[in-house]
Amino acid sequence: MTEAAARRAPGTPCWVSLMVHDMDATQEFYGALFGWDFRPGPQQLGPYVRALLDGREVAGIGQLPPDRHLPVAWTPYLASDDVDATAETVRHCGGTVGVGPLDAGEAGRMAIGSDPAGAVFGIWQAAAHLGTAVTRVPGAVAWNELVTRETATVAKFYQAVFGYAEEAVVSADFDYLTLQLESRPVASVHGVGHSLPRDRGAHWETYFEVADVDEAVERVADLGGHVVKPARDGSHGRVATVADPEGAHFALVTSRTQ
């Protein structure tokens, strides 16, 4: 599905970015896994490249400063018409802002924050760079899901900051809801209770579309990554959770055809 080259409505996931220690090895891994090519992007936070799929931008990879011992993780960016105002709302609603707001060259203005449960996300005010040019095709982002202890409290935070409506799955043993803009689901929140990973805490998980999950899982292992949760059939298709050689977790999905 190709997205129109237009500014996204506030709250829409519009980009994903990964900060790593070894950019060359990381580009080699994702290039081999997803068929990505790379070109330089804004350097405000250090070396940074944009990943391209058939010439269209799908993700970013940046270099962590050597003295920063941050977890290596994929981070979704949510669109904003005014990143400074959004950052202020994040603080007022019990979240924190760890980076920015700051200009990323001509591309736009950004900040990185975390919700009250500690899950990290970016905020993107587009200028020249509108964000992901294509989604839901093999090698591109398919979905973003917040994995947290419980949905009710944290959903209120995202509603207050980004204006989402929500739709819960009615189930006695499944705490799950979708965040919606204009009656369209744009992300999900999954409350996993005590099975929240202690080493990661609350976190956003990026799902990348692949043509064949099982084959992609094998390729991850061959390329030096590892399997976190083996391939399984779910409500949206066949899914596996894997990690790259630096330990960044992400999901692979072969979506069920509509």
Side-chain angles (χ1 to χ4, degrees), residues 11 14 46 64 77 79 130 134 143:
C14 61
L64 276 169
Y77 279 73
L130 296 168
V134 61
W143 191 245

Side-chain angles (χ1 to χ4, degrees), residues 23-243:
M23 282 186 68
D24 290 341
T26 299
Q27 289 174 70
E28 198 173 309
F29 172 84
Y30 286 101
L33 181 61
F34 292 137
W36 290 351
D37 299 308
F38 301 91
R39 71 170 171 224
Q43 310 290 306
Q44 271 66 23
L45 294 176
Y48 191 83
V49 294
R50 289 184 184 149
L52 283 77
L53 183 67
D54 298 326
R56 295 174 291 184
E57 296 178 343
V58 290
I61 297 173
Q63 176 85 50
L64 276 169
D67 56 339
R68 298 295 295 277
H69 298 288
L70 297 170
V72 175
W74 280 101
T75 302
Y77 279 73
L78 307 174
S80 169
D81 286 340
D82 183 340
V83 72
D84 296 79
T86 302
E88 198 54 41
T89 308
V90 165
R91 291 190 192 97
H92 279 308
C93 294
T96 58
V97 177
V99 176
L102 55 83
D103 287 327
E106 304 296 313
R109 192 163 170 78
M110 60 157 289
I112 298 174
S114 56
D115 67 27
V120 175
F121 61 93
I123 307 164
W124 183 252
Q125 181 182 335
H129 177 60
L130 296 168
T132 306
V134 61
T135 60
R136 297 182 184 177
V137 300
V141 173
W143 191 245
N144 293 278
E145 179 167 284
L146 173 62
V147 181
T148 192
R149 191 172 291 282
E150 51 86 27
T151 62
T153 310
V154 79
K156 287 186 175 63
F157 166 83
Y158 287 98
Q159 282 180 300
V161 175
F162 293 106
Y164 297 123
E166 62 175 65
E167 183 173 313
V169 171
V170 180
S171 168
D173 56 358
F174 192 54
D175 184 16
Y176 185 93
L177 57 83
T178 57
L179 300 175
Q180 304 198 337
L181 292 171
E182 298 169 350
S183 302
R184 187 173 63 94
V186 295
S188 53
V189 185
H190 188 187
V192 297
H194 293 298
S195 58
L196 190 67
R198 284 193 188 168
D199 57 335
R200 301 185 70 207
H203 60 277
W204 280 92
E205 184 150 82
T206 302
Y207 285 67
F208 290 100
E209 188 74 32
V210 290
D212 182 329
V213 163
D214 298 87
E215 189 271 334
V217 165
E218 280 186 29
R219 205 171 336 141
V220 165
D222 291 343
L223 293 168
H226 67 272
V227 179
V228 178
K229 287 184 188 169
R232 61 216 180 268
D233 291 314
S235 55
H236 300 298
R238 192 157 174 79
V239 184
T241 308
V242 296

